[in-house]
Amino acid sequence: MLHPLIWIPSRWHTRAFIVLCALALGMLVIMRWVHQPLISDAVPGGIIDFELAASLDASLAIQVAWGEKGRMYAALGLGLDYLYLLLYALALSLACSRFAYWGEGQGRLSVAMSWVPIAAALLDALENYALARLLFGEVREGWVIVARDCALLKFALLALVALYLLYAAAQMVKVRWRVFAG
């Protein structure tokens, strides 16, 4: 199995990873600024509360609390998130695939894990679509369910990637320690 970023020459992986991380962090800062007006006493989790709304009534209550201006900020944030999800997916995928070169037996697991951020980004894109449908007046329980389920799966997959990267980093340190202590 090949990792999803096989098209990037290996000599560019480090540079590409640094650029992708910098761009993703920059987008994260911008999105936090855009999402700030969405946080209030009524909606303490801001956009995350909207993503994880348990029912159509809860979703509508969040939108009412935001008002028209807040809904515009939410829509802008969803649009920006499409760029952000591309950046974080590529950065995390590249990070996972790079660990294929460290440690015994890491190759297959690393390549398999490099696909997980891509799956998370696809779920994020579908979640954004469902949230946009709700924001623009398509009041259906189905969109709330799609958004919530995609968000939960996305967060679970990203947590799995984070755990894998911690494990892989520990394996890399172990290999380097053997060489150093050797």
Side-chain angles (χ1 to χ4, degrees):
M1 176 179 6
L2 299 174
H3 66 83
L5 301 177
I6 194 75
W7 51 273
I8 299 175
S10 61
R11 67 182 182 278
W12 294 356
H13 282 189
T14 300
R15 286 184 208 127
F17 177 72
I18 291 169
V19 168
L20 289 167
C21 283
L23 291 171
L25 288 173
M27 280 302 301
L28 185 59
V29 168
I30 292 167
M31 288 175 49
R32 286 186 59 89
W33 177 77
V34 168
H35 288 151
Q36 194 60 40
L38 304 179
I39 298 171
S40 67
D41 290 338
V43 190
I47 195 73
I48 302 297
D49 285 350
F50 187 48
E51 292 173 0
L52 299 176
S55 67
L56 181 58
D57 289 340
S59 177
L60 293 173
I62 290 167
Q63 292 184 61
V64 167
W66 284 343
E68 189 62 32
K69 185 176 179 182
R71 289 179 58 228
M72 295 304 271
Y73 276 106
L76 175 60
L78 290 175
L80 291 172
D81 194 40
Y82 279 105
L83 176 57
Y84 177 63
L85 68 87
L86 178 66
L87 295 170
Y88 80 68
L90 293 174
L92 291 173
S93 181
L94 191 54
C96 289
S97 70
R98 291 307 298 159
F99 283 114
Y101 306 104
W102 296 98
E104 298 171 12
Q106 279 291 105
R108 286 186 181 163
L109 178 59
S110 180
V111 170
M113 287 303 297
S114 69
W115 287 96
V116 176
I118 305 299
L122 292 172
L123 288 165
D124 199 352
L126 181 55
E127 167 200 326
N128 288 347
Y129 180 78
L131 293 172
R133 301 305 301 177
L134 289 163
L135 278 175
F136 294 117
E138 196 168 321
V139 183
R140 292 191 179 158
E141 186 81 29
W143 290 126
V144 175
I145 293 167
V146 168
R148 184 189 64 235
D149 290 353
C150 285
L152 290 170
L153 284 169
K154 169 193 73 178
F155 291 135
L157 290 177
L158 292 174
L160 180 64
V161 169
L163 289 173
Y164 170 72
L165 289 173
L166 288 172
Y167 163 76
Q171 290 297 105
M172 181 183 73
V173 168
K174 184 174 142 182
V175 168
R176 290 218 179 200
W177 179 256
R178 276 192 219 148
V179 171
F180 176 73

